[in-house]
Amino acid sequence: MEVLTLDTTKPPMRALLLENIHPDATALLTKAGYEVETRKGALSEDELIEALPGFSLLGIRSRTHITERVLAGAPDLAAIGAFCIGVNQIDLAAAAHRGVAVFNAPFSNTRSVVELVLAEIISLARRLPEKNAKLHAGEWDKSASGSHEVRGRRLGIVGYGNIGAQLSVLAENLGMSVYFYDIADKLAMGNARRCGTLTELLESVETVTLHVDGRPGNSGLFGDAEFAAMQPRSLFLNLSRGFVVDHAALRRNIEAGHLAGAAVDVFPQEPRSRGEEFRSDLRGLPNVILTPHVGGSTEEAQQDIGEFVAGKLHDYVTCGATALSVNLPRVALPHTPGTHRLVHLHHNVPGVLASINQLLAEYGANIEGQLLGTRDDLGYVLTDIGIEYPDDMLASLRSLDVTIRLRTTRP
Ligand SMILES: NC(=O)c1ccc[n+]([C@@H]2O[C@H](COP(=O)([O-])OP(=O)(O)OC[C@H]3O[C@@H](n4cnc5c(N)ncnc54)[C@H](O)[C@@H]3O)[C@@H](O)[C@H]2O)c1
């Protein structure tokens, strides 16, 4: 990837990357001119407060928790990269109100999940879990009974977002007929058919796979009534969120033979560490594939996450780009050559833009490009001006009542 490098006449900006983030992130940031320090493990709240002063960028994964207290003790921090999908470990609102942008990698592991889903659909249709277990136990069960090709099979995708839509394309390439149901309006890929209701989808297909997001309303989305609406001897997969499915109901439907097989990667309660026992209603069932939340866990996904998030952090430092930020207003403005960029985060109240522009005019700064975005109570404006930043102009902008944080971009 081509990256802008930082101005080497200024002291290097520092980045702290924790939790064994992929080395491609370090390589990208180092090449761009940052001084990068890496640590294998996560840091506690107190350790973070001690470590963070002097660092502009912080990279974490899921085990480092960023609290209001940590943010208060990190005055130099400009942005946090969550080198993973989830951002629950970060107090996003507190970060936003201190002008710290947060980025994650929402689709770096999409392909990994889709490939596992396809592998599992084929495995379940051929009853591989059972055949594999029997052969390991010495039993030679050479039979075609209950084994099927997936070609021509009707696949129902619930949740047609990044993963659902990509699965739709690859499943059609395998010769499956794809149906989908989503609560939002979605473009149907290829020949996929949209269903108007969940029940319509469940009654139309022989394999159901869930790819909904984790909104609270999806808790218990799938239970006895939904399994009952599925065709007898269907296959069921969930690689989305554990709390979406009633696992006791799933067990009953497998044991009753209503479902011919299932694959589950996500669970309502998951062990927190390797040593802890995995407890689930689904253990010990025939033709059921259980995996420890590894749908998105591949080396390729980790590498993509490393490069993607490091790139977003660098774009934020050099251009103020927040297009994929999870906590700041989303703004990306092409840079006008020969200009200097002001990055202003403020309270979203009427008249802010007018006050900023009035002040710039008083200092004779002509505006060459400008873009404002808002998100709830925050406003974020990028302004390209035709003159170098006079110090007193920056001081005046910083002292506006509405200002949360003012930055000038580097280089
Ligand atoms: N198993 C893993 O390792 C793994 C890895 C990555 C993502 N995931 C999970 O997979 C899920 C999908 O990820 P994504 O990137 O495609 O998300 P996404 O946000 O792009 O797509 C989710 C889709 O579900 C739809 N939706 C939400 N509630 C719905 C409902 N009740 N009925 C129908 N449609 C509904 C939304 O409108 C959206 O189109 C997420 O829950 C994510 O956390 C799991």
Side-chain angles (χ1 to χ4, degrees), residues 142-187:
K142 181 170 163 51
S143 140
S145 171
S147 289
H148 299 278
E149 293 183 351
V150 297
R151 178 174 50 166
R153 205 179 169 97
R154 293 191 297 275
L155 172 67
I157 300 174
V158 183
Y160 205 65
N162 296 322
I163 293 173
Q166 186 161 156
L167 173 63
S168 173
V169 173
L170 295 191
E172 271 196 354
N173 282 327
L174 278 176
M176 301 188 83
S177 299
V178 176
Y179 294 68
F180 72 90
Y181 168 69
D182 199 295
I183 46 174
D185 283 335
K186 295 283 171 172
L187 170 69

Side-chain angles (χ1 to χ4, degrees), residues 51-391:
L52 280 176
F55 285 101
S56 304
L57 302 180
L58 171 67
I60 60 167
R61 290 169 70 186
S62 54
R63 283 183 296 118
T64 304
H65 291 265
I66 306 298
T67 59
E68 165 78 65
R69 213 180 130 233
V70 169
L71 292 159
D76 305 311
L77 201 58
I80 299 171
F83 286 75
C84 49
I85 315 300
V87 286
N88 294 342
Q89 71 281 35
I90 303 170
D91 186 336
L92 295 178
H97 285 92
R98 290 182 180 276
V100 176
V102 179
F103 297 92
N104 68 342
F107 28 71
S108 290
N109 62 8
T110 299
R111 175 71 186 217
S112 302
V113 178
V114 170
E115 289 191 11
L116 185 61
V117 172
L118 290 171
E120 291 183 332
I121 292 172
I122 295 174
S123 298
L124 294 173
R126 299 296 290 271
R127 306 196 71 80
L128 293 190
E130 280 176 347
K131 294 203 184 299
N132 179 54
K134 281 185 183 172
L135 212 52
H136 277 286
E139 190 183 336
W140 185 261
D141 175 24
K142 181 170 163 51
S143 140
S145 171
S147 289
H148 299 278
E149 293 183 351
V150 297
R151 178 174 50 166
R153 205 179 169 97
R154 293 191 297 275
L155 172 67
I157 300 174
V158 183
Y160 205 65
N162 296 322
I163 293 173
Q166 186 161 156
L167 173 63
S168 173
V169 173
L170 295 191
E172 271 196 354
N173 282 327
L174 278 176
M176 301 188 83
S177 299
V178 176
Y179 294 68
F180 72 90
Y181 168 69
D182 199 295
I183 46 174
D185 283 335
K186 295 283 171 172
L187 170 69
M189 311 301 282
N191 298 317
R193 270 157 277 193
R194 181 193 182 93
C195 295
T197 63
L198 180 59
T199 308
E200 182 191 336
L201 175 121
L202 299 178
E203 290 170 350
S204 307
V205 301
E206 299 135 333
T207 297
V208 172
T209 183
L210 305 187
H211 300 288
V212 298
D213 54 47
R215 70 187 71 197
N218 282 341
S219 176
L221 175 71
F222 229 86
D224 275 317
E226 288 70 30
F227 288 121
M230 287 170 66
Q231 296 194 16
R233 306 301 293 159
S234 291
L235 300 175
F236 174 79
L237 296 92
N238 182 22
L239 288 86
S240 62
R241 298 292 178 108
F243 65 78
V244 167
V245 177
D246 176 348
H247 281 190
L250 176 54
R251 181 173 189 103
R252 282 194 291 278
N253 279 275
I254 298 270
E255 284 178 331
H258 180 57
L259 296 181
V264 181
D265 185 49
V266 286
F267 303 88
Q269 277 90 39
E270 299 182 353
R272 281 197 220 154
S273 60
R274 275 170 192 258
E276 198 180 316
E277 187 185 347
F278 166 64
R279 296 169 193 276
S280 165
D281 285 326
L282 303 179
R283 277 173 55 177
L285 288 172
N287 213 32
V288 172
I289 301 173
L290 302 181
T291 45
H293 205 147
V294 290
S297 305
T298 61
E299 293 190 12
E300 288 77 8
Q302 286 306 316
Q303 180 175 10
D304 197 85
I305 289 170
E307 195 170 291
F308 185 88
V309 179
K312 293 291 154 263
L313 293 173
H314 183 54
D315 288 349
Y316 179 68
V317 169
T318 52
C319 313
T322 52
L324 282 174
S325 165
V326 291
N327 69 333
L328 292 190
R330 295 181 169 189
V331 177
L333 175 68
H335 193 251
T336 316
T339 62
H340 302 272
R341 178 162 291 185
L342 297 164
V343 179
H344 191 260
L345 180 72
H346 53 263
H347 297 289
N348 182 20
V349 293
V352 177
L353 204 54
S355 318
I356 292 174
N357 291 350
Q358 169 68 31
L359 206 146
L360 295 179
E362 284 166 17
Y363 284 90
N366 191 38
I367 296 172
E368 309 285 348
Q370 189 170 53
L371 197 59
L372 167 75
T374 60
R375 185 171 187 159
D376 304 324
D377 57 344
L378 295 174
Y380 184 74
V381 60
L382 300 180
T383 307
D384 289 342
I385 56 173
I387 57 168
E388 277 272 14
Y389 323 107
D391 285 345

